[in-house]
PDB file of all heavy atoms in Angstrom:
ATOM      1  N   GLN A 252      12.258 -69.281  48.801  1.00 93.00           N
ATOM      2  CA  GLN A 252      13.156 -68.489  47.970  1.00 93.00           C
ATOM      3  C   GLN A 252      13.977 -67.525  48.808  1.00 93.00           C
ATOM      4  O   GLN A 252      15.170 -67.303  48.530  1.00 93.00           O
ATOM      5  CB  GLN A 252      12.365 -67.753  46.902  1.00 93.00           C
ATOM      6  CG  GLN A 252      11.702 -68.697  45.891  1.00 93.00           C
ATOM      7  CD  GLN A 252      11.390 -68.014  44.573  1.00 93.00           C
ATOM      8  OE1 GLN A 252      12.152 -67.177  44.108  1.00 93.00           O
ATOM      9  NE2 GLN A 252      10.263 -68.380  43.965  1.00 93.00           N
ATOM     10  N   ASN A 253      13.395 -66.957  49.840  1.00 95.00           N
ATOM     11  CA  ASN A 253      14.144 -66.060  50.722  1.00 95.00           C
ATOM     12  C   ASN A 253      15.246 -66.819  51.467  1.00 95.00           C
ATOM     13  O   ASN A 253      16.369 -66.329  51.624  1.00 95.00           O
ATOM     14  CB  ASN A 253      13.209 -65.390  51.725  1.00 95.00           C
ATOM     15  CG  ASN A 253      12.304 -64.354  51.074  1.00 95.00           C
ATOM     16  OD1 ASN A 253      12.548 -63.935  49.950  1.00 95.00           O
ATOM     17  ND2 ASN A 253      11.260 -63.957  51.778  1.00 95.00           N
ATOM     18  N   TYR A 254      14.891 -68.015  51.933  1.00 96.00           N
ATOM     19  CA  TYR A 254      15.883 -68.827  52.636  1.00 96.00           C
ATOM     20  C   TYR A 254      17.032 -69.184  51.693  1.00 96.00           C
ATOM     21  O   TYR A 254      18.212 -69.077  52.059  1.00 96.00           O
ATOM     22  CB  TYR A 254      15.237 -70.094  53.192  1.00 96.00           C
ATOM     23  CG  TYR A 254      16.231 -70.984  53.909  1.00 96.00           C
ATOM     24  CD1 TYR A 254      16.476 -70.835  55.268  1.00 96.00           C
ATOM     25  CD2 TYR A 254      16.943 -71.962  53.216  1.00 96.00           C
ATOM     26  CE1 TYR A 254      17.406 -71.625  55.916  1.00 96.00           C
ATOM     27  CE2 TYR A 254      17.878 -72.757  53.854  1.00 96.00           C
ATOM     28  CZ  TYR A 254      18.102 -72.581  55.204  1.00 96.00           C
ATOM     29  OH  TYR A 254      19.030 -73.368  55.843  1.00 96.00           O
ATOM     30  N   PHE A 255      16.684 -69.619  50.490  1.00 97.00           N
ATOM     31  CA  PHE A 255      17.710 -70.007  49.517  1.00 97.00           C
ATOM     32  C   PHE A 255      18.647 -68.838  49.226  1.00 97.00           C
ATOM     33  O   PHE A 255      19.873 -69.011  49.180  1.00 97.00           O
ATOM     34  CB  PHE A 255      17.056 -70.501  48.220  1.00 97.00           C
ATOM     35  CG  PHE A 255      18.046 -70.983  47.198  1.00 97.00           C
ATOM     36  CD1 PHE A 255      18.481 -72.299  47.206  1.00 97.00           C
ATOM     37  CD2 PHE A 255      18.558 -70.118  46.237  1.00 97.00           C
ATOM     38  CE1 PHE A 255      19.415 -72.746  46.274  1.00 97.00           C
ATOM     39  CE2 PHE A 255      19.487 -70.551  45.311  1.00 97.00           C
ATOM     40  CZ  PHE A 255      19.913 -71.870  45.323  1.00 97.00           C
ATOM     41  N   GLN A 256      18.100 -67.649  49.036  1.00 97.00           N
ATOM     42  CA  GLN A 256      18.923 -66.480  48.722  1.00 97.00           C
ATOM     43  C   GLN A 256      19.839 -66.100  49.883  1.00 97.00           C
ATOM     44  O   GLN A 256      21.009 -65.755  49.679  1.00 97.00           O
ATOM     45  CB  GLN A 256      18.026 -65.306  48.342  1.00 97.00           C
ATOM     46  CG  GLN A 256      17.316 -65.498  47.001  1.00 97.00           C
ATOM     47  CD  GLN A 256      16.223 -64.478  46.765  1.00 97.00           C
ATOM     48  OE1 GLN A 256      16.001 -63.578  47.589  1.00 97.00           O
ATOM     49  NE2 GLN A 256      15.522 -64.606  45.653  1.00 97.00           N
ATOM     50  N   THR A 257      19.312 -66.178  51.103  1.00 97.00           N
ATOM     51  CA  THR A 257      20.143 -65.857  52.266  1.00 97.00           C
ATOM     52  C   THR A 257      21.290 -66.845  52.409  1.00 97.00           C
ATOM     53  O   THR A 257      22.444 -66.456  52.652  1.00 97.00           O
ATOM     54  CB  THR A 257      19.286 -65.869  53.549  1.00 97.00           C
ATOM     55  OG1 THR A 257      18.272 -64.880  53.448  1.00 97.00           O
ATOM     56  CG2 THR A 257      20.141 -65.588  54.782  1.00 97.00           C
ATOM     57  N   ALA A 258      20.997 -68.133  52.248  1.00 98.00           N
ATOM     58  CA  ALA A 258      22.039 -69.154  52.334  1.00 98.00           C
ATOM     59  C   ALA A 258      23.062 -68.984  51.215  1.00 98.00           C
ATOM     60  O   ALA A 258      24.269 -69.181  51.424  1.00 98.00           O
ATOM     61  CB  ALA A 258      21.412 -70.545  52.268  1.00 98.00           C
ATOM     62  N   THR A 259      22.595 -68.607  50.044  1.00 98.00           N
ATOM     63  CA  THR A 259      23.504 -68.414  48.913  1.00 98.00           C
ATOM     64  C   THR A 259      24.461 -67.256  49.175  1.00 98.00           C
ATOM     65  O   THR A 259      25.656 -67.337  48.858  1.00 98.00           O
ATOM     66  CB  THR A 259      22.707 -68.161  47.623  1.00 98.00           C
ATOM     67  OG1 THR A 259      21.904 -69.319  47.333  1.00 98.00           O
ATOM     68  CG2 THR A 259      23.632 -67.897  46.434  1.00 98.00           C
ATOM     69  N   ARG A 260      23.976 -66.165  49.759  1.00 98.00           N
ATOM     70  CA  ARG A 260      24.857 -65.050  50.113  1.00 98.00           C
ATOM     71  C   ARG A 260      25.924 -65.496  51.111  1.00 98.00           C
ATOM     72  O   ARG A 260      27.084 -65.072  51.026  1.00 98.00           O
ATOM     73  CB  ARG A 260      24.041 -63.890  50.679  1.00 98.00           C
ATOM     74  CG  ARG A 260      23.274 -63.091  49.620  1.00 98.00           C
ATOM     75  CD  ARG A 260      22.765 -61.773  50.183  1.00 98.00           C
ATOM     76  NE  ARG A 260      21.764 -61.973  51.227  1.00 98.00           N
ATOM     77  CZ  ARG A 260      20.461 -62.062  50.997  1.00 98.00           C
ATOM     78  NH1 ARG A 260      20.004 -61.980  49.758  1.00 98.00           N
ATOM     79  NH2 ARG A 260      19.609 -62.235  51.988  1.00 98.00           N
ATOM     80  N   THR A 261      25.540 -66.346  52.037  1.00 98.00           N
ATOM     81  CA  THR A 261      26.497 -66.839  53.035  1.00 98.00           C
ATOM     82  C   THR A 261      27.573 -67.688  52.377  1.00 98.00           C
ATOM     83  O   THR A 261      28.772 -67.545  52.669  1.00 98.00           O
ATOM     84  CB  THR A 261      25.770 -67.659  54.110  1.00 98.00           C
ATOM     85  OG1 THR A 261      24.714 -66.878  54.663  1.00 98.00           O
ATOM     86  CG2 THR A 261      26.720 -68.079  55.219  1.00 98.00           C
ATOM     87  N   ILE A 262      27.168 -68.576  51.489  1.00 98.00           N
ATOM     88  CA  ILE A 262      28.126 -69.429  50.782  1.00 98.00           C
ATOM     89  C   ILE A 262      29.034 -68.583  49.899  1.00 98.00           C
ATOM     90  O   ILE A 262      30.256 -68.797  49.848  1.00 98.00           O
ATOM     91  CB  ILE A 262      27.383 -70.492  49.959  1.00 98.00           C
ATOM     92  CG1 ILE A 262      26.635 -71.445  50.894  1.00 98.00           C
ATOM     93  CG2 ILE A 262      28.351 -71.273  49.070  1.00 98.00           C
ATOM     94  CD1 ILE A 262      25.657 -72.365  50.189  1.00 98.00           C
ATOM     95  N   SER A 263      28.460 -67.612  49.207  1.00 98.00           N
ATOM     96  CA  SER A 263      29.253 -66.739  48.336  1.00 98.00           C
ATOM     97  C   SER A 263      30.317 -65.982  49.125  1.00 98.00           C
ATOM     98  O   SER A 263      31.441 -65.774  48.640  1.00 98.00           O
ATOM     99  CB  SER A 263      28.340 -65.755  47.600  1.00 98.00           C
ATOM    100  OG  SER A 263      27.464 -66.436  46.723  1.00 98.00           O
ATOM    101  N   ALA A 264      29.994 -65.583  50.341  1.00 98.00           N
ATOM    102  CA  ALA A 264      30.964 -64.877  51.181  1.00 98.00           C
ATOM    103  C   ALA A 264      32.127 -65.784  51.564  1.00 98.00           C
ATOM    104  O   ALA A 264      33.282 -65.348  51.620  1.00 98.00           O
ATOM    105  CB  ALA A 264      30.272 -64.333  52.431  1.00 98.00           C
ATOM    106  N   GLN A 265      31.833 -67.055  51.838  1.00 98.00           N
ATOM    107  CA  GLN A 265      32.902 -68.017  52.127  1.00 98.00           C
ATOM    108  C   GLN A 265      33.766 -68.246  50.893  1.00 98.00           C
ATOM    109  O   GLN A 265      35.001 -68.292  50.978  1.00 98.00           O
ATOM    110  CB  GLN A 265      32.291 -69.343  52.590  1.00 98.00           C
ATOM    111  CG  GLN A 265      31.497 -69.282  53.874  1.00 98.00           C
ATOM    112  CD  GLN A 265      32.359 -69.130  55.098  1.00 98.00           C
ATOM    113  OE1 GLN A 265      33.349 -69.849  55.266  1.00 98.00           O
ATOM    114  NE2 GLN A 265      32.013 -68.206  55.968  1.00 98.00           N
ATOM    115  N   LEU A 266      33.131 -68.382  49.745  1.00 98.00           N
ATOM    116  CA  LEU A 266      33.869 -68.648  48.510  1.00 98.00           C
ATOM    117  C   LEU A 266      34.702 -67.444  48.077  1.00 98.00           C
ATOM    118  O   LEU A 266      35.739 -67.601  47.423  1.00 98.00           O
ATOM    119  CB  LEU A 266      32.904 -69.053  47.400  1.00 98.00           C
ATOM    120  CG  LEU A 266      32.175 -70.385  47.628  1.00 98.00           C
ATOM    121  CD1 LEU A 266      31.211 -70.663  46.484  1.00 98.00           C
ATOM    122  CD2 LEU A 266      33.166 -71.535  47.792  1.00 98.00           C
ATOM    123  N   ALA A 267      34.271 -66.237  48.448  1.00 98.00           N
ATOM    124  CA  ALA A 267      35.075 -65.050  48.161  1.00 98.00           C
ATOM    125  C   ALA A 267      36.413 -65.128  48.889  1.00 98.00           C
ATOM    126  O   ALA A 267      37.462 -64.742  48.336  1.00 98.00           O
ATOM    127  CB  ALA A 267      34.318 -63.787  48.569  1.00 98.00           C
ATOM    128  N   LEU A 268      36.400 -65.634  50.111  1.00 98.00           N
ATOM    129  CA  LEU A 268      37.646 -65.828  50.857  1.00 98.00           C
ATOM    130  C   LEU A 268      38.514 -66.888  50.188  1.00 98.00           C
ATOM    131  O   LEU A 268      39.741 -66.742  50.105  1.00 98.00           O
ATOM    132  CB  LEU A 268      37.342 -66.227  52.297  1.00 98.00           C
ATOM    133  CG  LEU A 268      36.581 -65.207  53.149  1.00 98.00           C
ATOM    134  CD1 LEU A 268      36.279 -65.794  54.526  1.00 98.00           C
ATOM    135  CD2 LEU A 268      37.369 -63.918  53.282  1.00 98.00           C
ATOM    136  N   VAL A 269      37.882 -67.955  49.716  1.00 98.00           N
ATOM    137  CA  VAL A 269      38.614 -69.000  48.984  1.00 98.00           C
ATOM    138  C   VAL A 269      39.344 -68.386  47.795  1.00 98.00           C
ATOM    139  O   VAL A 269      40.542 -68.622  47.574  1.00 98.00           O
ATOM    140  CB  VAL A 269      37.656 -70.108  48.505  1.00 98.00           C
ATOM    141  CG1 VAL A 269      38.393 -71.081  47.572  1.00 98.00           C
ATOM    142  CG2 VAL A 269      37.072 -70.859  49.691  1.00 98.00           C
ATOM    143  N   ASP A 270      38.634 -67.593  47.021  1.00 97.00           N
ATOM    144  CA  ASP A 270      39.214 -67.007  45.815  1.00 97.00           C
ATOM    145  C   ASP A 270      40.380 -66.082  46.142  1.00 97.00           C
ATOM    146  O   ASP A 270      41.389 -66.055  45.420  1.00 97.00           O
ATOM    147  CB  ASP A 270      38.149 -66.242  45.033  1.00 97.00           C
ATOM    148  CG  ASP A 270      37.089 -67.163  44.448  1.00 97.00           C
ATOM    149  OD1 ASP A 270      37.368 -68.373  44.301  1.00 97.00           O
ATOM    150  OD2 ASP A 270      35.985 -66.680  44.149  1.00 97.00           O
ATOM    151  N   MET A 271      40.264 -65.341  47.217  1.00 96.00           N
ATOM    152  CA  MET A 271      41.346 -64.439  47.603  1.00 96.00           C
ATOM    153  C   MET A 271      42.598 -65.213  48.009  1.00 96.00           C
ATOM    154  O   MET A 271      43.722 -64.829  47.659  1.00 96.00           O
ATOM    155  CB  MET A 271      40.882 -63.534  48.744  1.00 96.00           C
ATOM    156  CG  MET A 271      39.765 -62.582  48.348  1.00 96.00           C
ATOM    157  SD  MET A 271      39.101 -61.610  49.730  1.00 96.00           S
ATOM    158  CE  MET A 271      40.403 -60.406  49.927  1.00 96.00           C
ATOM    159  N   LEU A 272      42.414 -66.315  48.720  1.00 96.00           N
ATOM    160  CA  LEU A 272      43.568 -67.121  49.126  1.00 96.00           C
ATOM    161  C   LEU A 272      44.199 -67.828  47.928  1.00 96.00           C
ATOM    162  O   LEU A 272      45.432 -67.909  47.820  1.00 96.00           O
ATOM    163  CB  LEU A 272      43.135 -68.140  50.183  1.00 96.00           C
ATOM    164  CG  LEU A 272      42.746 -67.554  51.540  1.00 96.00           C
ATOM    165  CD1 LEU A 272      42.245 -68.647  52.477  1.00 96.00           C
ATOM    166  CD2 LEU A 272      43.922 -66.810  52.184  1.00 96.00           C
ATOM    167  N   LEU A 273      43.383 -68.339  47.024  1.00 96.00           N
ATOM    168  CA  LEU A 273      43.929 -68.971  45.824  1.00 96.00           C
ATOM    169  C   LEU A 273      44.681 -67.963  44.968  1.00 96.00           C
ATOM    170  O   LEU A 273      45.707 -68.282  44.353  1.00 96.00           O
ATOM    171  CB  LEU A 273      42.810 -69.626  45.014  1.00 96.00           C
ATOM    172  CG  LEU A 273      42.177 -70.886  45.631  1.00 96.00           C
ATOM    173  CD1 LEU A 273      41.026 -71.372  44.762  1.00 96.00           C
ATOM    174  CD2 LEU A 273      43.208 -71.990  45.814  1.00 96.00           C
ATOM    175  N   GLU A 274      44.191 -66.734  44.924  1.00 94.00           N
ATOM    176  CA  GLU A 274      44.884 -65.683  44.175  1.00 94.00           C
ATOM    177  C   GLU A 274      46.246 -65.393  44.785  1.00 94.00           C
ATOM    178  O   GLU A 274      47.235 -65.186  44.056  1.00 94.00           O
ATOM    179  CB  GLU A 274      44.031 -64.420  44.152  1.00 94.00           C
ATOM    180  CG  GLU A 274      44.683 -63.230  43.453  1.00 94.00           C
ATOM    181  CD  GLU A 274      44.966 -63.487  41.973  1.00 94.00           C
ATOM    182  OE1 GLU A 274      44.258 -64.310  41.356  1.00 94.00           O
ATOM    183  OE2 GLU A 274      45.919 -62.868  41.444  1.00 94.00           O
ATOM    184  N   ARG A 275      46.333 -65.377  46.097  1.00 93.00           N
ATOM    185  CA  ARG A 275      47.628 -65.165  46.755  1.00 93.00           C
ATOM    186  C   ARG A 275      48.588 -66.302  46.448  1.00 93.00           C
ATOM    187  O   ARG A 275      49.780 -66.072  46.205  1.00 93.00           O
ATOM    188  CB  ARG A 275      47.447 -65.007  48.263  1.00 93.00           C
ATOM    189  CG  ARG A 275      46.874 -63.667  48.696  1.00 93.00           C
ATOM    190  CD  ARG A 275      46.830 -63.563  50.210  1.00 93.00           C
ATOM    191  NE  ARG A 275      48.173 -63.589  50.782  1.00 93.00           N
ATOM    192  CZ  ARG A 275      48.920 -62.504  50.987  1.00 93.00           C
ATOM    193  NH1 ARG A 275      48.463 -61.313  50.663  1.00 93.00           N
ATOM    194  NH2 ARG A 275      50.126 -62.611  51.523  1.00 93.00           N
ATOM    195  N   LEU A 276      48.094 -67.534  46.457  1.00 93.00           N
ATOM    196  CA  LEU A 276      48.946 -68.664  46.112  1.00 93.00           C
ATOM    197  C   LEU A 276      49.438 -68.558  44.676  1.00 93.00           C
ATOM    198  O   LEU A 276      50.590 -68.888  44.374  1.00 93.00           O
ATOM    199  CB  LEU A 276      48.181 -69.978  46.315  1.00 93.00           C
ATOM    200  CG  LEU A 276      47.869 -70.371  47.750  1.00 93.00           C
ATOM    201  CD1 LEU A 276      47.048 -71.655  47.784  1.00 93.00           C
ATOM    202  CD2 LEU A 276      49.145 -70.556  48.567  1.00 93.00           C
ATOM    203  N   GLN A 277      48.557 -68.086  43.793  1.00 89.00           N
ATOM    204  CA  GLN A 277      48.946 -67.901  42.391  1.00 89.00           C
ATOM    205  C   GLN A 277      50.035 -66.847  42.262  1.00 89.00           C
ATOM    206  O   GLN A 277      51.023 -67.021  41.534  1.00 89.00           O
ATOM    207  CB  GLN A 277      47.720 -67.493  41.573  1.00 89.00           C
ATOM    208  CG  GLN A 277      47.963 -67.414  40.064  1.00 89.00           C
ATOM    209  CD  GLN A 277      47.807 -68.753  39.411  1.00 89.00           C
ATOM    210  OE1 GLN A 277      48.534 -69.695  39.701  1.00 89.00           O
ATOM    211  NE2 GLN A 277      46.841 -68.869  38.523  1.00 89.00           N
ATOM    212  N   GLN A 278      49.892 -65.741  42.975  1.00 86.00           N
ATOM    213  CA  GLN A 278      50.894 -64.684  42.951  1.00 86.00           C
ATOM    214  C   GLN A 278      52.221 -65.171  43.491  1.00 86.00           C
ATOM    215  O   GLN A 278      53.289 -64.848  42.945  1.00 86.00           O
ATOM    216  CB  GLN A 278      50.394 -63.473  43.741  1.00 86.00           C
ATOM    217  CG  GLN A 278      49.213 -62.747  43.115  1.00 86.00           C
ATOM    218  CD  GLN A 278      48.651 -61.659  44.003  1.00 86.00           C
ATOM    219  OE1 GLN A 278      49.102 -61.472  45.146  1.00 86.00           O
ATOM    220  NE2 GLN A 278      47.672 -60.926  43.509  1.00 86.00           N
ATOM    221  N   ASN A 279      52.168 -65.964  44.556  1.00 80.00           N
ATOM    222  CA  ASN A 279      53.411 -66.507  45.129  1.00 80.00           C
ATOM    223  C   ASN A 279      54.106 -67.446  44.165  1.00 80.00           C
ATOM    224  O   ASN A 279      55.328 -67.487  44.081  1.00 80.00           O
ATOM    225  CB  ASN A 279      53.112 -67.235  46.434  1.00 80.00           C
ATOM    226  CG  ASN A 279      52.669 -66.296  47.549  1.00 80.00           C
ATOM    227  OD1 ASN A 279      52.901 -65.096  47.484  1.00 80.00           O
ATOM    228  ND2 ASN A 279      51.993 -66.829  48.555  1.00 80.00           N
TER     229      ASN A 279
END
Side-chain angles (χ1 to χ4, degrees):
Q252 295 202 37
N253 289 345
Y254 179 90
F255 183 88
Q256 291 168 2
T257 299
T259 298
R260 284 194 295 270
T261 306
I262 295 169
S263 296
Q265 297 287 312
L266 294 178
L268 297 176
V269 172
D270 293 339
M271 295 175 76
L272 291 176
L273 289 176
E274 177 62 27
R275 285 184 64 89
L276 291 177
Q277 186 85 298
Q278 292 173 356
N279 292 341

